[in-house]
Amino acid sequence: MTTEALGAAVEELLRPVIGTVGTALSGGTGGAGALEPLVREVLGALAEGAARRGGPVAAASPADLAGGVADTFGSARGTEALGRLTELLAHGSADPADPACAAHLHCPPLAVAVAADLAVSALNPSQDSWDQAPAATVMETLLLEEMAGLVGYDPAEAAGVLTSGGTESNLMGLMLARDRVLGAATGRQIELTGVPRAGAGGSLGSAAGARPRILASAAAHFSVQRAAALLGLGEDAVIPVAVDSQLRMKTVALTAALERCVERGQLPVAIVATAGTTDTGAIDPLRECAELAARYGAWLHVDAAYGGGALLSDRLAPLLDGIELADSVSLDWHKLGWQPAAAGIFLVRKSETYASLARRAVYLNPADDEEAGYPSLLGLSLRTTRRADAFKIAVTLRTLGREGLGRLVDACHELAVAGARAVAAHPRLELHGEAGAGEPVLTAFLFRYVPGAFAGAAASGGASADADAVRADEVNAALRRRLLREGGAVVGRTELPGEGPGRVRLKLTLLNPHTSVREVERLLDAVVAAGMAEEGA
């Protein structure tokens, strides 16, 4: 086929769709013009969907909501698809900007960050090679230098990358810990040869018998176990360390666990300290963890996916004292940073510890390109294709500055303190925590609704404690579902560490700095009303 004939065939193939809105591209000199009417349509549909929802979540059972989604999904076609499906998404979404949506570390993103993210989506740079993202490569590098300085690292010595979130960042931290510590103990390049088979005995000085272990608090994120499984260490390699009543890792318990590792011929590969547990925002004793990691030759990884936001606040930043001593750190700005997901950051204190992740792909980062001054970020990430997620964070920081973001952090912290005090003062609510120590560390707190029969029995010494605890668990779990079903509120649910009944707790995670104390009090009133309704039912 001649070139002319091939061109004519391609033109004929595209003739039915050329010129239609659906085939317009978002880049190039005409991209902005093609986007403009579509963005207007999306904005209108978002407003219509939110108005139809009328609250934090649509009032519907899961089955009814699924049926409505399936109907629209199946019928929306052609030019109406964008508007109808966007309205459907808005109507059927939990809205973290609503004051009554306070269950998870699911922040309402700043409008400026969303606008910046639109620019990234339109241009679609990919961070796996310089020639796909020239400016974005430089901006990510500069942003990471700022983030390293925020943590307390020397930006000239640190390294890092944007990630999909804490789970990926924790995996990277533990992968590097495995490669560095286990590699040093065995004299092997673990990323090449794999995890050696552990013998039946051995000691820290006997690499063949040293079974790798990761120590993390009993309240640490589940991604630590998942990472251990993916890294070939097995979930059983993670040793849970006891926590105190505020769910902070006990230094004494960590010391004892490390001693037991040595006695049993096990190798402490890593200590994972949490700076901001998902349930209470508890922060482990970071400086003490760093001292123990150094003493036992373990890597210290700090999971600050939530608590890292405290670094933006002059008032709360001292809570993370010692984070600068960690070998690696996880941060998530799509939690206490008001960014649209994903906005995770992974940092290491010393760039040379990144060595086992280095990769050379001749079609992406040939050595002669890098020698000629074309840098690549490929060897810093577990991913290949990767969005320019640094851009929205950079825009937000340039717009508000650390001080402006710090005010948002402080506002949410003050809101949580006021909410916790309202719980403590309510006769039908019970705040988790010791007397005088129940105020939120960051922006989240645990509590539960106290059924009337439970309160009466507790006062009179009537019904058995186990029966009361079971009933309290059932009512708290059910009232949360009632609130969801009725569209009144999105409240979190968790369980305290331990065994047996009486551990179910409700959770408020307050990440909307524009929410008022009165709105939080109304949310708590809704919880009580739902609890009473469940008791009546």
Side-chain angles (χ1 to χ4, degrees):
M1 181 181 289
T2 65
T3 301
E4 292 78 6
L6 184 59
V10 171
E11 185 175 331
E12 184 62 28
L13 180 66
L14 295 177
R15 190 182 305 280
V17 293
I18 286 177
T20 65
V21 172
T23 63
L25 302 179
S26 63
T29 56
L35 274 173
E36 186 177 1
L38 298 174
V39 170
R40 283 201 302 267
E41 184 175 4
V42 164
L43 294 177
L46 287 174
E48 291 171 13
R52 189 157 66 91
R53 185 184 65 242
V57 68
S61 70
D64 289 341
L65 182 67
V69 170
D71 288 345
T72 303
F73 187 81
S75 62
R77 291 287 188 275
T79 56
E80 69 172 13
L82 176 63
R84 288 189 63 193
L85 291 178
T86 301
E87 181 182 346
L88 171 69
L89 180 66
H91 170 259
S93 290
D95 182 8
D98 191 290
C101 186
H104 301 287
L105 288 163
H106 175 203
C107 73
L110 292 163
V112 68
V114 174
D117 213 31
L118 172 62
V120 170
S121 293
L123 295 167
N124 205 30
S126 181
Q127 300 290 84
D128 48 314
S129 66
W130 186 93
D131 57 1
Q132 297 177 82
T137 296
V138 179
M139 273 194 266
E140 177 166 324
T141 303
L142 293 173
L143 177 72
L144 288 167
E145 289 176 359
E146 285 193 17
M147 293 298 100
L150 184 67
V151 166
Y153 289 167
D154 180 347
E157 295 184 355
V161 74
L162 270 288
T163 71
S164 59
T167 296
E168 181 184 347
S169 296
N170 290 346
L171 174 62
M172 292 182 71
L174 291 175
M175 176 182 174
L176 294 178
R178 180 201 66 178
D179 295 348
R180 298 287 293 187
V181 179
L182 189 56
T186 60
R188 301 171 63 171
Q189 199 168 345
I190 303 299
E191 69 271 21
L192 296 181
T193 63
V195 178
R197 181 178 178 276
S203 65
L204 284 177
S206 176
R211 301 180 68 86
R213 290 292 182 260
I214 297 166
L215 296 95
S217 89
H221 197 262
F222 68 86
S223 60
V224 175
Q225 280 82 1
R226 178 176 287 176
L230 290 171
L231 294 171
L233 304 177
E235 292 194 21
D236 288 345
V238 180
I239 299 175
V241 179
V243 295
D244 63 18
S245 62
Q246 298 303 304
L247 306 187
R248 296 169 299 204
M249 183 157 54
K250 293 181 178 180
T251 305
V252 171
L254 177 58
T255 303
L258 287 163
E259 282 296 327
R260 285 194 296 272
C261 284
V262 174
E263 292 168 1
R264 296 170 182 173
Q266 298 168 345
L267 177 66
V269 168
I271 296 171
V272 179
T274 305
T277 58
T278 55
D279 283 345
T280 65
I283 297 173
D284 290 336
L286 304 182
R287 188 166 292 277
E288 290 87 343
C289 289
E291 292 170 357
L292 287 168
R295 185 187 308 171
Y296 287 88
W299 178 284
L300 177 62
H301 175 71
V302 174
D303 177 2
Y306 175 20
L311 295 170
L312 298 167
S313 161
D314 289 339
R315 183 199 310 167
L316 299 180
L319 293 171
L320 272 65
D321 174 58
I323 193 172
E324 71 279 3
L325 302 174
D327 294 291
S328 58
V329 172
S330 301
L331 304 170
D332 276 5
W333 296 127
H334 54 250
K335 292 184 172 69
L336 202 54
W338 298 281
Q339 300 297 300
I345 291 176
F346 173 72
L347 294 168
V348 294
R349 182 163 48 91
K350 300 292 184 182
S351 59
E352 60 265 25
T353 61
Y354 234 113
S356 61
L357 267 175
R359 286 294 178 273
R360 179 76 62 197
V362 292
Y363 73 104
L364 292 173
N365 62 341
D368 56 327
D369 269 5
E370 291 193 349
E371 290 166 3
Y374 293 81
S376 168
L377 305 180
L378 179 67
L380 298 173
S381 178
L382 294 177
R383 293 177 286 164
T384 305
T385 301
R386 188 165 60 82
R387 292 183 85 245
D389 288 318
F391 181 70
K392 60 199 172 193
I393 306 174
V395 168
T396 301
L397 280 168
R398 290 299 172 280
T399 302
L400 295 176
R402 175 183 175 273
E403 182 181 2
L405 285 169
R407 289 196 188 101
L408 301 184
V409 173
D410 289 342
C412 289
H413 177 248
E414 290 169 1
L415 194 64
V417 169
R421 289 175 179 172
V423 166
H426 201 291
R428 298 301 295 273
L429 298 175
E430 178 184 273
L431 183 66
H432 168 69
E434 299 171 349
E439 286 198 346
V441 179
L442 296 173
T443 67
F445 60 89
L446 301 183
F447 68 104
R448 65 174 172 174
Y449 170 79
V450 181
F454 178 92
S460 63
S464 73
D466 279 352
D468 289 342
V470 168
R471 180 60 178 153
D473 284 353
E474 291 172 347
V475 171
N476 277 274
L479 77 83
R480 174 181 165 275
R481 291 190 291 269
R482 176 184 286 271
L483 290 169
L484 286 172
R485 189 168 60 250
E486 295 176 351
V490 185
V491 176
R493 176 197 187 278
T494 189
E495 295 183 14
L496 300 178
E499 300 293 336
R503 296 184 298 116
V504 171
R505 292 294 183 275
L506 303 176
K507 176 174 64 171
L508 292 191
T509 307
L510 299 168
L511 294 178
N512 183 345
H514 301 300
T515 298
S516 69
V517 173
R518 183 66 193 112
E519 286 169 326
V520 174
E521 292 172 343
R522 282 199 291 268
L523 173 55
L524 294 172
D525 289 341
V527 168
V528 172
M532 296 177 72
E534 283 300 323
E535 286 192 86

